Amino acid sequence: MRGLYTATVLDTVAKHFASRRAVESLDIGKGFDLIVGTSTGGILAAALAHGQPLRKVIDLYRIEGAKIFTDPMPDTAERFNLIRWLWRNKSKASNHNGHLKSVLMNFFQSETLGQMYQRRGISLCIPSVKAEQQTTKVFKTPHNSRLTFDAGYRLVDVCLATSAAPIFLPLVDVPDPMAVGQNFVYADGGLWANNPVLVGILEALEMTASSKRPIQVLSVSTCPAPEGELIKPGNENFGFMQWRAGTKIVSLSLNAQAAGCEYMARLFQERLRELGRDITVTRLRSSSLSADQMRWMRLDAASPAALRALSQLGSHDGQEAIRLCDGGRSTICADGQLIRDVFHEMPHQQLTKE
């Protein structure tokens, strides 16, 4: 559900520049050569590459979210309800993925990665996990002549595979288009690439190996809730309830590796510059959260209060990004310059009335 925050940040910035340029809307996907996204970010990345207007992506969260997450995990303060939730879902994921699949089918129909790349010319990388083999997988468009394995995968299946969050949604059985009758089971790509910025940098280096073109990376978060806590001496022996039946382990893993990837991306930037590569990594920062706002930053929180909190935070941080790049300063920092250049040069999009 935190993808609503990311979509709102981008929508806020895009609407500002569309207004300044006197166009109806901007085609954000066309503003980039390569888009990378994981889990809910993978759905957003695929939608932008596909050419979906952001208003439809936002509606996915605002209108369909509660129909996707029909049995959200209770607040940790509601101990009895949490026990009931854990017992109720002891042998299954807490939600079905049928409605999510239906919504994605409405978005993408049966279009494949190869068909989308041929139509739009936008490269796409979507991380996931091959659950049975316990190995990583990155679904890629055929933007390189050697990348032929994934062209036949449907965008719907790729999005389901990258967002199959353990405990919250079922694993996904996806047919292999290169081997008739062969299927693989996938789990959420956030288990290893929750912040896929390094995946993006490595793919960009591959794409520019011969040309040595400058690489500019714009990274947007999903406003993760701070999960840190004070663990008093003697209380280190966590059990089933302290780990919330594994859900807290998942959030610990996601947050830790996302923070680590952001740090490593900065190191990559500096070392690559020393080797003569022109690379800039810009991260759109998320706001510090109040104690009340933190309650609504859960993966499956789709209540009206959660939607309001995510939308407000996304709008606020989008406005902060606008101030960074277009706030009337006589001098603009490098990050602000990159944001302004990207959205100023982005092709416009003609919205259709439904």
Side-chain angles (χ1 to χ4, degrees):
M1 284 303 301
R2 293 205 305 260
L4 174 58
Y5 164 86
T6 311
T8 305
V9 170
L10 292 172
D11 188 52
T12 301
V13 178
K15 282 180 176 176
H16 169 77
F17 280 95
S19 176
R20 285 203 56 177
R21 294 168 53 186
V23 297
E24 186 177 6
S25 181
L26 299 182
D27 188 341
I28 294 180
K30 280 288 190 178
F32 298 90
D33 301 297
L34 168 67
I35 305 179
V36 186
T38 303
S39 194
T40 190
I43 295 174
L44 178 57
L48 295 177
H50 186 263
Q52 294 290 336
L54 269 174
R55 68 177 188 194
K56 286 189 65 176
V57 181
I58 289 172
D59 283 347
L60 164 64
Y61 297 100
R62 295 189 62 85
I63 298 174
E64 310 295 345
K67 302 174 187 176
I68 294 168
F69 294 108
T70 57
D71 190 13
M73 184 176 66
D75 191 284
T76 53
E78 303 168 356
R79 191 174 181 86
F80 180 69
N81 288 336
L82 178 60
I83 293 172
R84 291 180 59 188
W85 183 86
L86 295 174
W87 178 257
R88 184 165 63 248
N89 299 304
K90 65 183 183 299
S91 301
K92 63 176 181 64
S94 59
N95 305 276
H96 298 288
N97 62 5
H99 190 73
L100 174 59
K101 183 175 182 179
S102 175
V103 172
L104 293 173
M105 283 296 298
N106 184 51
F107 266 34
F108 304 123
Q109 303 299 315
S110 295
E111 189 165 54
T112 65
L113 287 171
Q115 290 167 342
M116 189 274 294
Y117 181 71
Q118 185 177 29
R119 178 174 60 85
R120 295 271 288 169
I122 300 169
S123 304
L124 189 65
C125 288
I126 307 290
S128 186
V129 172
K130 278 189 172 180
E132 294 159 308
Q133 289 72 31
Q134 298 190 8
T135 188
T136 60
K137 168 66 179 178
V138 180
F139 294 98
K140 299 182 180 181
T141 50
H143 49 266
N144 184 301
S145 58
R146 63 180 177 80
L147 299 177
T148 60
F149 292 102
D150 299 340
Y153 279 104
R154 299 189 310 168
L155 285 165
V156 170
D157 293 326
V158 171
C159 288
L160 288 172
T162 191
S163 60
I167 301 174
F168 299 98
L169 289 167
L171 300 175
V172 179
D173 191 50
V174 177
D176 184 344
M178 295 289 286
V180 177
Q182 179 66 63
N183 287 36
F184 289 99
V185 177
Y186 292 93
D188 197 303
L191 294 173
W192 72 275
N194 194 41
N195 178 350
V197 64
L198 295 183
V199 176
I201 290 173
L202 290 172
E203 194 65 26
L205 288 170
E206 284 282 307
M207 293 170 66
T208 61
S210 58
S211 67
K212 299 295 188 289
R213 286 177 54 195
I215 297 171
Q216 296 175 313
V217 181
L218 181 62
S219 174
V220 191
S221 80
T222 54
C223 197
E227 294 280 354
E229 61 183 311
L230 178 63
I231 302 174
K232 297 179 181 179
N235 290 348
E236 303 91 349
N237 193 13
F238 280 20
F240 184 79
M241 286 302 297
Q242 286 89 344
W243 285 117
R244 280 180 278 165
T247 61
K248 196 170 182 178
I249 298 173
V250 173
S251 65
L252 175 65
S253 171
L254 298 184
N255 289 340
Q257 54 101 346
C261 286
E262 182 177 352
Y263 175 72
M264 287 187 283
R266 295 292 181 182
L267 287 181
F268 264 99
Q269 174 183 263
E270 298 309 315
R271 298 300 169 261
L272 287 168
R273 284 177 173 176
E274 291 173 1
L275 294 172
R277 290 305 309 266
D278 185 353
I279 177 170
T280 303
V281 180
T282 295
R283 177 77 163 173
L284 294 187
R285 298 287 174 179
S286 53
S287 298
S288 299
L289 303 178
S290 69
D292 188 56
Q293 287 170 328
M294 290 180 193
R295 297 176 56 207
W296 309 115
M297 295 300 111
R298 299 195 310 273
L299 178 153
D300 60 344
S303 68
L307 295 173
R308 177 180 171 83
L310 288 164
S311 297
Q312 285 183 339
L313 284 166
S315 178
H316 175 268
D317 288 350
Q319 291 172 29
E320 289 300 306
I322 292 168
R323 292 188 184 97
L324 184 67
C325 65
D326 202 32
R329 294 183 178 90
S330 57
T331 59
I332 298 177
C333 67
D335 286 352
Q337 186 68 54
L338 172 61
I339 298 167
R340 189 170 71 174
D341 289 349
V342 167
F343 282 88
H344 182 71
E345 298 169 5
M346 196 173 285
H348 71 273
Q349 183 178 49
Q350 189 71 32
L351 298 179
T352 57
K353 297 191 180 296
E354 299 178 359

